[in-house]
Amino acid sequence: MLRSIETNDSKTAWKILIMDKFTVKVMGFSCKMADITDQGISLVEDLYKRREPLPSMDAIYFIQPLKENVIFFLSDMSGRCPLYRKAYVFFSSPIPKELTSYVKNDASVIPRIGALREMNLEYFAIDSQAFTTDHEMALEEFYGETATNTRKYNECLHTMATRIATAIASLKELPYVRYRAVKATSSSNTTDTRSLVPKKLADAIWEILYKVKTSVPDYPQKETCDLLIVDRSIDQIAPVIHEWTYDAMCHDLLDMDGNKYVYEVQKPGGAVERKEALLEDNDPVWLELRNTHIADASERLHEKMNNFVSKNKAAQLHQSSRDGAEISTKDLQKMVQALPQYTEQVEKLSLHVEIAGKINKMIREMGLRDVGQLEQDLVFGDAGAKEVINFLRAKQDTSPENKLRMLMIYAATNPEKFEGDKGVKLMQLAKLSPEDMKAVNNLLYLGQIDPKKTSGENFSLKFDTQKKKQAARKEKSEEETWALSRFYPLIEELIEKLSKGDLPKDEYPCVNEPTATTPVPQNRTSGSQTAAPVRSRRTATWAKSRSSDDGMSSESVLRNVAADFKKMGQRIFVFIVGGATRSELRVIHTLTSKLKREVILGSTSIDDPPKFITKLKMLTKPVA
């Protein structure tokens, strides 16, 4: 899009980029300002603000296909004195025919349009394997008290479908669209509306992609990948359990703004300077350590720092000067030459050492290891009422939030323990507020949206010490290095089954069920016969362990990510309505390596536990 103006007379000319509020945000997730200026953009303007005429320059419009946006664009370019020489217009999603006609009817504008195209880009890239549709309130809008088949509900569903479709279309994919189905129920229409969200979304996405397939030249005509749509009710534990990876701990415990971490640096003379760091893909230390257990990340960071000092000449000299050793002129010259690189590398390493140290201190002070152990035991059926009550009595200094999260996991694994006034007594024992009780009740309600749960699946009300207590997860055969890393989100099982062709069709039907001429292969992996040719594509590689000695595995990891092209099987897209978690993000990265298929996670938002609990409290159970 930014390179669209490359005629002979304007190859080196500067251009203007004009966006609306939404596309500014999309662009912000996709690239940095430096990337934009590198493409010859000298000025970025707001479509809605008054702008200075620059009739000698070309303008690129990146806007949503909305009537008000088209009106603003036409007023810029129509009449005797347009604001710019030529306009190259890119719409973020498919444009309605009536708006196209609106443009065509303005005769003065037509000769001034250099391009009028649909650009599928209405999603927010979290990293190279995850995106959101920016529907922060999806949980309330689709599953809350007022969630009914209203105009607002349908508009939200359509917008979400459009944004998911743009993510898939931008990668030139045509998926088999599968969704989590619900069995027939005698429930009210309100409940049906909630439980049918995955199906309605799947239908809407396929309708949009079918139009793209039939209207865009060179678009795949046969299915090339898989898309699975589920909602948050599929796994109520993942959003609240303590996830022990470096990435999850940063977002759970630190006061971060998205991926931005603010910290203080002591300057010479005692002054304190506030700095900002972005924990994202282009930070090689972050890339290497984000999916490792916090204890492992801490160990590796200290190893990196020690190795860096022992191998880097400037660091050694710096150290020896501190020790009072005499430095020769030759050594001083070497030190000056190496210092800029040394400073940058040590800053990066020091930042992560500081973050990991801060997290480990919080883990100790908050007693999180005991909390985490009980959480894992509840999930895997190794703990029950006795252990929960003993914990609440013995660990009264545990923070209210951590007690609430533990009780939410207990409620998700043993809902019968919260029937009648049992839940109230537990909350009183934990000294939690009625507002916190609302979070537990709403979590139970969210889990009951699926009417497939029958009374026959209820757990025993008797506490039996001889039998293994109710387990929400099966133990995996692979041994974990760390005791607190046993937990895995349920989408891991679903993706593995989907990849093998073992996902039950009655529970996860396909919207575009293949005909006899386009069968779904039972196992669409890199070694199987696929519905479309296996492509060589850029693939994420950070799921693998790639350690380095210098602490800048950095350069090597980033270089490998950029250059590592592998033949992978067909992509798998998974979309979660109601918010995804850090543990689900981790699974996406690890499964890409394990299955040899690029897995991409989409969701309405990425929620850390405090944020999810806040949203859950707003989700009011409807009155029967």
Side-chain angles (χ1 to χ4, degrees):
M1 178 176 72
L2 298 180
R3 293 173 187 155
S4 59
I5 310 173
E6 288 195 358
T7 57
N8 292 332
D9 61 337
S10 63
K11 226 171 203 179
T12 56
W14 288 95
K15 302 157 282 196
I16 298 162
L17 176 62
I18 299 160
M19 297 182 283
D20 57 38
K21 283 190 177 67
F22 179 82
T23 51
V24 162
K25 196 171 177 182
V26 170
M27 189 68 84
F29 275 89
S30 305
C31 57
K32 292 182 166 52
M33 194 65 199
D35 301 320
I36 295 173
T37 53
D38 284 348
Q39 299 302 324
I41 303 295
S42 62
L43 191 62
V44 177
E45 294 267 40
D46 184 336
L47 177 70
Y48 291 97
K49 288 186 178 173
R50 189 180 181 87
R51 283 164 276 124
E52 182 186 346
L54 296 165
S56 63
M57 296 183 76
D58 293 335
I60 296 172
Y61 285 80
F62 177 38
I63 54 178
Q64 280 190 291
L66 305 173
K67 188 175 181 180
E68 56 267 34
N69 287 356
V70 171
I71 290 170
F72 268 96
F73 154 65
L74 291 175
S75 67
D76 287 351
M77 299 303 296
S78 62
R80 294 178 62 187
C81 303
L83 290 187
Y84 313 109
R85 182 171 59 185
K86 257 194 185 305
Y88 294 75
V89 187
F90 294 84
F91 292 106
S92 57
S93 59
I95 180 171
K97 284 182 181 176
E98 59 268 24
L99 289 185
T100 312
S101 304
Y102 207 67
V103 174
K104 286 178 180 176
N105 290 338
D106 195 325
S108 66
V109 172
I110 297 295
R112 296 166 185 164
I113 297 177
L116 192 68
R117 298 179 197 162
E118 290 174 353
M119 174 113 176
N120 283 304
L121 197 64
E122 266 196 21
Y123 55 93
F124 303 92
I126 301 302
D127 65 22
S128 60
Q129 284 181 259
F131 70 93
T132 73
T133 58
D134 196 35
H135 287 93
E136 286 287 342
M137 302 312 295
L139 204 64
E140 185 182 12
E141 286 174 1
F142 288 126
Y143 304 105
E145 187 175 15
T146 57
T148 52
N149 206 5
T150 59
R151 182 180 172 184
K152 185 184 175 185
Y153 173 102
N154 290 323
E155 280 177 357
C156 184
L157 197 74
H158 176 74
T159 305
M160 192 181 296
T162 301
R163 291 179 186 176
I164 297 165
T166 68
I168 294 167
S170 70
L171 294 169
K172 290 274 179 83
E173 296 278 18
L174 186 67
Y176 289 105
V177 185
R178 301 183 72 172
Y179 61 93
R180 188 192 190 202
V182 289
K183 290 180 180 176
T185 174
S186 58
S187 306
S188 67
N189 289 332
T190 306
T191 305
D192 286 344
T193 302
R194 291 176 178 82
S195 60
L196 287 172
V197 168
K199 182 185 186 315
K200 289 185 174 186
L201 185 59
D203 288 338
I205 291 168
W206 175 245
E207 187 181 338
I208 296 164
L209 287 175
Y210 186 80
K211 287 177 184 173
V212 173
K213 168 190 168 183
T214 53
S215 61
V216 175
D218 302 324
Y219 202 81
Q221 296 301 297
K222 290 185 178 180
E223 286 77 2
T224 61
C225 65
D226 291 295
L227 166 63
L228 176 63
I229 298 166
V230 296
D231 63 15
R232 190 64 273 165
S233 68
I234 201 166
D235 187 351
Q236 302 105 51
I237 298 169
V240 292
I241 195 168
H242 283 89
E243 167 78 358
W244 289 79
T245 59
Y246 185 39
D247 177 10
M249 281 283 166
C250 284
H251 286 88
D252 191 354
L253 301 182
L254 304 180
D255 188 19
M256 290 181 64
D257 178 13
N259 287 338
K260 189 193 298 176
Y261 174 68
V262 180
Y263 61 106
E264 293 182 346
V265 177
Q266 192 88 25
K267 302 292 283 183
V272 174
E273 181 187 357
R274 285 173 67 84
K275 284 193 168 187
E276 292 180 356
L278 291 174
L279 304 182
E280 56 185 13
D281 284 8
N282 60 3
D283 177 345
V285 180
W286 172 255
L287 204 59
E288 183 182 339
L289 299 180
R290 64 178 178 178
N291 288 326
T292 59
H293 189 284
I294 181 62
D296 193 21
S298 302
E299 284 178 12
R300 282 160 70 174
L301 279 167
H302 284 289
E303 280 173 21
K304 283 176 183 298
M305 189 65 100
N306 292 335
N307 287 331
F308 177 74
V309 170
S310 66
K311 293 187 178 186
N312 185 286
K313 190 68 179 171
Q316 288 172 7
L317 291 167
H318 187 67
Q319 190 65 41
S320 62
S321 68
R322 283 182 164 184
D323 296 341
E326 197 172 325
I327 303 174
S328 68
T329 306
K330 190 177 180 182
D331 282 342
L332 276 171
Q333 285 175 335
K334 286 181 181 176
M335 185 174 172
V336 169
Q337 287 167 359
L339 199 56
Q341 180 190 16
Y342 160 65
T343 305
E344 182 190 347
Q345 292 181 350
V346 161
E347 270 190 8
K348 233 165 211 172
L349 268 178
S350 299
L351 168 69
H352 287 285
V353 168
E354 185 217 316
I355 291 174
K358 191 173 181 179
I359 289 171
N360 282 316
K361 185 182 177 188
M362 293 177 79
I363 289 170
R364 286 192 303 272
E365 290 175 349
M366 297 166 76
L368 285 186
R369 282 192 179 87
D370 291 334
V371 174
Q373 189 61 59
L374 180 54
E375 288 177 349
Q376 301 269 330
D377 288 345
L378 285 169
V379 170
F380 288 95
D382 298 325
K386 182 181 176 183
E387 289 79 6
V388 169
I389 290 167
N390 287 346
F391 178 89
L392 292 175
R393 284 176 176 159
K395 307 279 184 182
Q396 294 193 18
D397 57 343
T398 303
S399 72
E401 185 197 303
N402 285 329
K403 284 191 279 191
L404 173 61
R405 285 166 68 172
M406 187 265 292
L407 283 177
M408 289 170 83
I409 292 166
Y410 185 45
T413 53
N414 296 270
E416 79 286 352
K417 300 293 184 184
F418 287 76
E419 290 171 358
D421 64 348
K422 294 177 189 173
V424 175
K425 287 179 179 176
L426 273 173
M427 298 298 275
Q428 286 171 348
L429 180 61
K431 297 179 180 174
L432 296 178
S433 67
E435 187 71 13
D436 289 334
M437 190 67 199
K438 188 188 286 185
V440 177
N441 288 335
N442 287 346
L443 187 79
L444 289 166
Y445 163 61
L446 187 66
Q448 291 165 2
I449 287 173
D450 180 4
K452 287 187 292 182
K453 293 189 177 179
T454 62
S455 56
E457 290 174 324
N458 282 345
F459 310 127
S460 169
L461 292 176
K462 291 183 180 178
F463 183 75
D464 188 349
T465 54
Q466 301 303 313
K467 292 174 79 175
K468 189 173 174 76
K469 301 167 186 73
Q470 180 63 33
R473 298 283 189 283
K474 293 176 184 175
E475 293 278 4
K476 295 213 162 190
S477 55
E478 307 103 33
E479 284 201 14
E480 287 289 348
T481 312
W482 303 100
L484 294 171
S485 292
R486 290 192 293 162
F487 174 78
Y488 59 92
L490 283 177
I491 65 159
E492 184 172 344
E493 284 185 356
L494 293 180
I495 294 167
E496 288 182 330
K497 285 182 179 178
L498 178 63
S499 185
K500 292 174 186 173
D502 292 340
L503 207 57
K505 288 188 176 180
D506 58 333
E507 293 177 31
Y508 296 91
C510 184
V511 172
N512 48 324
E513 191 62 53
T515 61
T517 55
T518 58
V520 178
Q522 283 305 299
N523 186 5
R524 292 192 295 278
T525 60
S526 56
S528 65
Q529 292 298 311
T530 56
V534 174
R535 296 176 299 280
S536 174
R537 63 157 70 94
R538 176 173 171 171
T539 306
T541 56
W542 47 83
K544 299 175 182 168
S545 175
R546 243 201 204 102
S547 56
S548 69
D549 293 333
D550 61 358
M552 293 287 99
S553 69
S554 316
E555 309 313 325
S556 57
V557 169
L558 288 178
R559 205 159 41 237
N560 280 319
V561 169
D564 190 4
F565 285 79
K566 286 188 173 182
K567 289 204 167 185
M568 301 286 281
Q570 296 178 328
R571 282 188 175 108
I572 297 174
F573 291 84
V574 180
F575 191 86
I576 303 173
V577 182
T581 69
R582 297 281 155 187
S583 60
E584 286 158 343
L585 204 53
R586 164 178 58 84
V587 159
I588 295 307
H589 295 146
T590 53
L591 284 182
T592 291
S593 179
K594 181 179 177 181
L595 302 176
K596 299 292 186 286
R597 296 180 69 175
E598 189 177 9
V599 186
I600 295 175
L601 174 68
S603 185
T604 46
S605 58
I606 302 288
D607 292 339
D608 304 313
K611 191 174 171 186
F612 176 76
I613 291 169
T614 300
K615 290 181 180 182
L616 199 62
K617 287 176 180 178
M618 298 167 72
L619 179 71
T620 309
K621 182 178 177 180
V623 180

